[in-house]
Amino acid sequence: ETGVTQTPRHLVMGMTNKKSLKCEQHLGHNAMYWYKQSAKKPLELMFVYSLEERVENNSVPSRFSPECPNSSHLFLHLHTLQPEDSALYLCASSQSSGGDYNEQFFGPGTRLTVL
Amino acid sequence: AQKITQTQPGMFVQEKEAVTLDCTYDTSDPSYGLFWYKQPSSGEMIFLIYQGSYDQQNATEGRYSLNFQKARKSANLVISASQLGDSAMYFCAMREGPGGFKTIFGAGTRLFVKA
């Protein structure tokens, strides 16, 4: 495997279900991100982890719970979601190194539909 | 507050011609990085080009160049010799402060390349 992988690629869940999205990066990066991409809205940053510590949390509802067990893996745990949470969820990674602006590498995304 | 504006929801270009995608930004931070990403229909965001706020020269990467006009706060993407595979969504993005993690994205421009 190379780059950033995400599983599953598609997920349909009911509002009472609990599911998890998984992201894995094979690039040796030390920062990982979750983004939400809804139709007709700009990409929204949800969470950022740097060196396995959460450094950004953009007022995301508590029904989304991130987990970063190590620098290569990132999870997004979902429970009691709402239909408006249906979106493409993108994971990204980058190498954070002091004063540099390093680009992010994105996974293919998980298309989530909440019924 | 930082902001990215892409005023062109959709653009058409003839194959082999050049096209410019507009991006303006707003920030009070003197140090920032500007990025362009491409998102094909498959969903994965692909990094194209980067421009630092202190860079004296416009960035170039193959057929991509960034027309950086700092005083006007614009960072337009120029694609030369368009190819059918260039048809995709294009996003302009900005990150403030060296070592920062929060990247904001514009609404995107959908580019259609005609044969």
Side-chain angles (χ1 to χ4, degrees):
Chain A
E1 294 275 20
T2 59
V4 181
T5 58
Q6 289 186 245
T7 55
R9 293 293 308 276
H10 300 272
L11 178 62
V12 179
M13 59 187 288
M15 289 190 284
T16 58
N17 291 159
K18 289 185 181 181
K19 296 286 184 183
S20 295
L21 309 185
K22 179 183 176 182
C23 176
E24 185 172 359
Q25 59 98 358
H26 309 267
L27 300 167
H29 290 163
N30 57 14
M32 296 187 75
Y33 310 72
W34 278 117
Y35 287 91
K36 177 184 178 183
Q37 187 175 32
S38 306
K40 300 182 180 179
K41 289 180 70 175
L43 207 62
E44 300 172 72
L45 179 65
M46 300 176 73
F47 302 103
V48 183
Y49 278 81
S50 174
L51 299 172
E52 299 149 48
E53 279 192 34
R54 193 189 306 180
V55 295
E56 287 280 349
N57 179 357
N58 270 11
S59 302
V60 179
S62 60
R63 57 186 182 268
F64 295 91
S65 174
E67 179 191 1
C68 187
N70 56 61
S71 60
S72 299
H73 293 85
L74 185 65
F75 294 89
L76 187 62
H77 303 300
L78 317 171
H79 64 97
T80 59
L81 293 191
Q82 305 297 313
E84 60 264 28
D85 296 323
S86 298
L88 181 67
Y89 288 84
L90 290 165
C91 174
S93 70
S94 70
Q95 184 61 29
S96 170
S97 52
D100 292 337
Y101 294 88
N102 294 315
E103 69 271 24
Q104 294 170 52
F105 292 78
F106 286 79
T110 294
R111 174 71 62 188
L112 173 67
T113 302
V114 181
L115 302 177
Chain B
Q2 52 177 329
K3 185 179 178 182
I4 294 281
T5 302
Q6 293 181 256
T7 57
Q8 305 154 313
M11 289 280 288
F12 285 87
V13 65
Q14 196 67 38
E15 193 179 10
K16 299 181 185 178
E17 292 186 350
V19 63
T20 298
L21 306 183
D22 295 341
C23 172
T24 58
Y25 60 92
D26 191 19
T27 178
S28 56
D29 197 320
S31 179
Y32 51 89
L34 296 159
F35 304 81
W36 277 92
Y37 290 87
K38 171 184 177 181
Q39 188 178 38
S41 56
S42 59
E44 186 171 344
M45 299 277 276
I46 302 166
F47 165 74
L48 296 178
I49 195 167
Y50 160 78
Q51 180 84 42
S53 60
Y54 293 117
D55 292 344
Q56 296 296 313
Q57 293 191 329
N58 288 343
T60 60
E61 287 286 349
R63 294 187 298 111
Y64 304 107
S65 60
L66 202 151
N67 184 0
F68 181 45
Q69 299 188 43
K70 194 170 182 177
R72 296 180 60 187
K73 293 189 174 179
S74 76
N76 298 340
L77 177 70
V78 180
I79 305 175
S80 62
S82 297
Q83 302 172 357
L84 296 177
D86 293 334
S87 294
M89 282 290 287
Y90 288 81
F91 293 93
C92 180
M94 177 175 67
R95 187 183 307 164
E96 289 181 335
F101 296 98
K102 187 171 182 178
T103 303
I104 62 162
F105 287 76
T109 296
R110 182 166 295 280
L111 177 67
F112 300 90
V113 180
K114 300 181 291 184

